[in-house]
Amino acid sequence: MATFFGEVVVAPSRAGVDDEEWAEEAREETPEDREIRRELEKKREIDVLWTVKSGASTESTAGEPFACSKFIVAIGHNAAAFLSSFILDSVCWEVVGVVKLWNEWCRTSNTTTVLPTDSFCLFYRLISDPTVLLCQCSCYVAEDQQFQWLEKVFGCMRKEGLQVTILSTCPVADYKTQESTLTLPSPFLKALKTKEFKEPVCCPLLEQPNIVRDLPAA
């Protein structure tokens, strides 16, 4: 390496230095930094609370996994509003659970008495068939919390014979197609399915190279 013609400068060498050791030396995390990081990690933990008959709440880790034949999850404000308008607008459903989480864009609590405009995540059970569950997730789940959300929610359910349906929305501007988006109906519906799903699909499949992101993808 030369700063001007004729001068040769020896570059610093990292030979024999492990990348993690180098990063640790550069960071030099103090005990106070470690304590703050631990407190933030603890605060970002997700809790799933299920309502029992007595009206109290219990941690999702308590008890055996319950039977669930169909689990419908609406993610985002538009999908949650769709459930509220066309499915939950009856006395056929009861609230049976809630998710507590905290991140940069979301603050929730374990109360189930909320306004429709509040960011929240609630579970409903069909009274006539308790194995059918709905989830209204209008709160933001951060990238580092998505696996934990899935692990704790699905950890409460038996997986045998479980059919999961995800409802989500995205801006039309993100939809990749060769035709003009101005000619597309608004709104329009596309589907993705796993190879295990053998029933007829209610709408055309989502074309490549379109993808699903965030919690619906997880």
Side-chain angles (χ1 to χ4, degrees), residues 212-218:
V212 176
R213 297 181 176 87
D214 302 323
L215 187 60

Side-chain angles (χ1 to χ4, degrees), residues 48-58 66 84 88-99 109-115 120-128 130 132-136:
V48 181
L49 305 161
W50 298 97
T51 304
V52 294
K53 292 182 179 179
S54 62
S57 296
T58 180
F66 51 82
S84 295
L88 293 172
D89 189 20
S90 67
V91 295
C92 301
W93 302 88
E94 60 179 348
V95 177
V96 293
V98 64
V99 173
S109 65
N110 59 355
T111 178
T112 56
T113 306
V114 294
L115 298 174
F120 217 67
C121 186
L122 292 174
F123 296 95
Y124 297 85
R125 180 174 62 184
L126 185 61
I127 297 175
S128 60
V132 178
L133 293 180
L134 296 181
C135 176
Q136 258 187 325

Side-chain angles (χ1 to χ4, degrees), residues 98-118:
V98 64
V99 173
K100 288 178 56 180
L101 63 89
W102 179 96
N103 56 50
E104 295 82 358
W105 300 101
C106 181
R107 309 286 189 273
T108 66
S109 65
N110 59 355
T111 178
T112 56
T113 306
V114 294
L115 298 174
T117 54
D118 289 343

Side-chain angles (χ1 to χ4, degrees), residues 20-74:
E20 293 183 359
E21 293 178 358
W22 179 276
E24 185 66 28
E25 291 176 1
R27 185 173 53 187
E28 294 182 355
E29 189 178 51
T30 65
E32 290 80 8
D33 293 335
R34 286 192 293 271
E35 181 63 24
I36 292 173
R37 179 168 52 82
R38 282 194 295 266
E39 289 297 323
L40 284 175
E41 290 175 352
K42 184 177 179 180
K43 195 170 185 179
R44 294 177 74 90
E45 290 182 359
I46 291 177
D47 292 322
V48 181
L49 305 161
W50 298 97
T51 304
V52 294
K53 292 182 179 179
S54 62
S57 296
T58 180
E59 291 287 349
S60 61
T61 54
E64 294 294 324
F66 51 82
C68 184
S69 61
K70 290 182 174 59
F71 184 41
I72 302 174
V73 187

Side-chain angles (χ1 to χ4, degrees), residues 87-206:
I87 298 180
L88 293 172
D89 189 20
S90 67
V91 295
C92 301
W93 302 88
E94 60 179 348
V95 177
V96 293
V98 64
V99 173
K100 288 178 56 180
L101 63 89
W102 179 96
N103 56 50
E104 295 82 358
W105 300 101
C106 181
R107 309 286 189 273
T108 66
S109 65
N110 59 355
T111 178
T112 56
T113 306
V114 294
L115 298 174
T117 54
D118 289 343
S119 294
F120 217 67
C121 186
L122 292 174
F123 296 95
Y124 297 85
R125 180 174 62 184
L126 185 61
I127 297 175
S128 60
D129 184 357
T131 66
V132 178
L133 293 180
L134 296 181
C135 176
Q136 258 187 325
C137 184
S138 57
C139 57
Y140 173 74
V141 182
E143 185 175 349
D144 63 312
Q145 296 175 313
Q146 291 170 9
F147 177 76
Q148 186 185 165
W149 192 97
L150 295 169
E151 188 178 46
K152 293 193 174 183
V153 170
F154 284 95
C156 309
M157 308 174 189
R158 297 175 189 168
K159 310 301 188 299
E160 298 81 5
L162 174 61
Q163 183 184 100
V164 181
T165 303
I166 310 294
L167 304 175
S168 66
T169 59
C170 67
V172 176
D174 293 344
Y175 180 62
K176 298 176 178 61
T177 178
Q178 293 182 348
E179 59 182 294
S180 172
T181 55
L182 297 177
T183 63
L184 295 172
S186 180
F188 65 95
L189 192 64
K190 297 287 183 176
L192 287 174
K193 69 181 185 68
T194 62
K195 60 183 180 181
E196 287 79 12
F197 186 80
K198 306 300 183 183
E199 299 179 16
V201 182
C202 64
C203 62
L205 296 178
L206 185 67

